[in-house]
Amino acid sequence: MTASLPPAIPAADLAAHPVERAETIPSAWYTDARFAQADHDWIFTRTWQGIGHAAQVERPGSYFLAAIAGEPVIVVRGKDAVLRAFYNVCRHRGGPLALEDGCVNALQCRYHGWTYLLDGTLRGVPAMDRTELFDRKDFGLVPLRVETWEGLVFVNLAADAPPLAESVGGIAERIAPIRLGALTFARRVDYEVRCNWKVYVDNFLEGYHVPYVHPELAKLYDYTRYTTEVYDRYSLQHSPLTGDNLYSRDDGGEAFYYCIFPNFMLNILPGRLQTNLVLPVGHDRCRVIFQYFYDDVSGPGAAARIEEDLAYSDAVQQEDIGICERVQQGLASQAYDRGRFSVKYETGVHHFQELVRAAYREGMARRPSA
Ligand code: FES
Ligand SMILES: [Fe+2]
């Protein structure tokens, strides 16, 4: 799909600069549909997308559906226990193999009933016996790369993308003894936000706005010790927890906020993980999928603690949605084109925007006519 990519991008806009001297990316990158196409072609079709978790595909035959960059995807656990991903697209005339999550012995197309084994092999083909030079072997499901990390399932549309480990390497070691893969899934909540997906990610990546947008949240942290670290493909904001609150433990505990390029966040508090997946829906809209995982989902008081966490997170999220939607309007204003970064607070935003610039540089370089 190359509907209409941006015309040539000025080299100056693509050049990397250290945070002290960098400008923010141009406002058109958030407001012009051609850059939404660039994000699709140059970022979302080439990066690992954290679309689910292992408990959704625990039993042989269990599967879930997702969409990545507009592509319908099915992730299924085989009878051999191997996790596989395919395009959810039948090789006959493009029908869907499933319409909702479930558990099956084989995948049967909902259009004319072609049946595929869980490894993607085409098996049953009703009324195809008079079709000449047709070999079922040539019509297996089209596979996709899938990897699991700490109980989270990632799929990548690009066959030549680097392994997932290059995107998440070092995180598990850093947060030990916390083990994300040992937590239990509890809840999913989706939000529709009227802003470009990069506005939402930018906002996640700095604590600069916390005292102004989230005065209640500000009480959770020891601001003097809130720090940002950047790595190749992710950044980390972390802070000791302060005071007596829903999340603090006897030893106080620590908050870790990871953003894995381009659009997947891990919000880690003692005994709890919240993931955020930010999906573009057009140039000025995104959907954010929250998943909640806990160390205790059934013990005494667990249900109440989870409800309290969900309510608290939702309040913070509503504050972020409010400001992100106003920022989208501001970016679209003729008054604004680009700004500067706080070196103290916005190194994570700068790091993310530099990765966007790098993806655009590579995308432009690959264009046949560029
Ligand atoms: S499209 Fe799948 S069987 Fe026809
Ligand atoms: Fe926020």
Side-chain angles (χ1 to χ4, degrees):
M1 185 167 89
T2 44
S4 68
L5 281 164
I9 301 174
D13 289 352
L14 296 172
H17 293 291
V19 63
E20 293 83 357
R21 281 186 277 126
E23 291 185 315
T24 60
I25 55 178
S27 59
W29 295 17
Y30 299 91
T31 60
D32 181 331
R34 292 174 299 182
F35 286 95
Q37 188 66 39
D39 292 343
H40 171 280
D41 289 13
W42 300 339
I43 298 178
F44 284 87
T45 57
R46 313 183 62 83
T47 46
W48 289 98
Q49 296 290 309
I51 55 173
H53 58 91
Q56 291 174 283
V57 278
E58 223 157 36
R59 286 186 294 149
S62 55
Y63 66 86
F64 69 83
L65 307 179
I68 298 178
E71 293 287 350
V73 171
I74 182 166
V75 177
V76 59
R77 177 79 59 191
K79 298 207 165 141
D80 52 4
V82 174
L83 192 64
R84 295 181 180 84
F86 304 100
Y87 289 89
N88 182 18
V89 177
C90 176
R91 295 291 305 279
H92 173 222
R93 279 175 43 218
L97 306 160
L99 301 172
E100 56 189 31
D101 300 355
C103 189
V104 289
N105 282 316
L107 293 164
Q108 183 169 52
C109 177
R110 311 304 284 251
Y111 202 179
H112 317 95
W114 282 23
T115 303
Y116 300 84
L117 302 183
L118 301 179
D119 66 2
T121 312
L122 178 58
R123 178 55 62 88
V125 283
M128 290 291 289
D129 48 308
R130 287 163 55 196
T131 306
E132 295 178 12
L133 298 175
F134 171 69
D135 188 338
R136 284 179 301 184
K137 282 204 300 297
D138 300 332
F139 289 85
L141 292 177
V142 178
L144 285 162
R145 289 177 65 197
V146 60
E147 289 196 37
T148 303
W149 173 80
E150 292 295 322
L152 301 168
V153 176
F154 293 78
V155 169
N156 197 320
L157 296 182
D160 61 347
L164 176 64
E166 286 195 17
S167 288
V168 298
I171 296 176
E173 294 76 6
R174 173 64 189 272
I175 62 173
I178 297 171
R179 284 187 50 239
L180 301 181
L183 304 176
T184 304
F185 173 77
R187 199 75 68 86
R188 166 178 166 162
V189 183
D190 290 19
Y191 295 95
E192 308 292 325
V193 190
R194 283 168 297 179
C195 72
N196 183 270
W197 70 278
K198 299 189 291 296
V199 171
Y200 191 90
V201 176
D202 285 343
N203 176 70
F204 174 89
L205 284 165
E206 42 91 358
Y208 201 10
H209 72 272
V210 170
Y212 307 99
V213 177
H214 314 294
E216 281 302 308
L217 181 66
K219 294 177 192 156
L220 273 184
Y221 303 103
D222 177 354
Y223 251 81
T224 59
R225 292 167 65 195
Y226 191 103
T227 53
T228 303
E229 299 167 18
V230 301
Y231 298 86
D232 279 359
R233 302 288 289 176
Y234 61 82
S235 63
L236 164 65
Q237 301 165 78
H238 67 103
S239 169
L241 296 171
T242 54
D244 193 19
N245 59 61
L246 175 60
Y247 305 107
S248 55
R249 298 284 164 102
D250 293 343
D251 59 352
E254 204 166 5
F256 297 95
Y257 300 106
Y258 282 98
C259 182
I260 301 163
F261 188 78
N263 63 333
F264 194 66
M265 292 87 161
L266 308 170
N267 300 278
I268 303 162
L269 291 165
R272 171 272 213 186
L273 164 68
Q274 177 207 86
T275 62
N276 312 140
L277 178 67
V278 188
L279 300 171
V281 183
H283 69 280
D284 58 357
R285 246 162 237 269
C286 61
R287 176 174 305 120
V288 188
I289 301 174
F290 281 41
Q291 298 184 112
Y292 292 85
F293 304 81
Y294 300 92
D295 58 352
D296 177 8
V297 293
S298 54
R305 276 197 304 277
I306 289 171
E307 287 311 317
E308 199 180 343
D309 180 34
L310 289 163
Y312 186 80
S313 298
D314 183 67
V316 173
Q317 170 70 349
Q318 297 303 341
E319 292 167 344
D320 282 320
I321 289 174
I323 196 66
C324 285
E325 293 187 343
R326 292 305 296 264
V327 167
Q328 182 70 30
Q329 294 171 18
L331 293 171
S333 162
Q334 57 189 351
Y336 187 86
D337 185 24
R338 58 194 87 190
R340 299 293 304 273
F341 296 106
S342 159
V343 176
K344 180 170 168 59
Y345 286 114
E346 293 178 296
T347 52
V349 185
H350 170 256
H351 174 256
F352 166 68
Q353 296 193 2
E354 287 298 322
L355 288 170
V356 171
R357 278 189 220 276
Y360 283 15
R361 276 198 301 275
E362 289 162 22
M364 291 297 287
R366 277 194 307 272
R367 283 176 84 165
S369 57

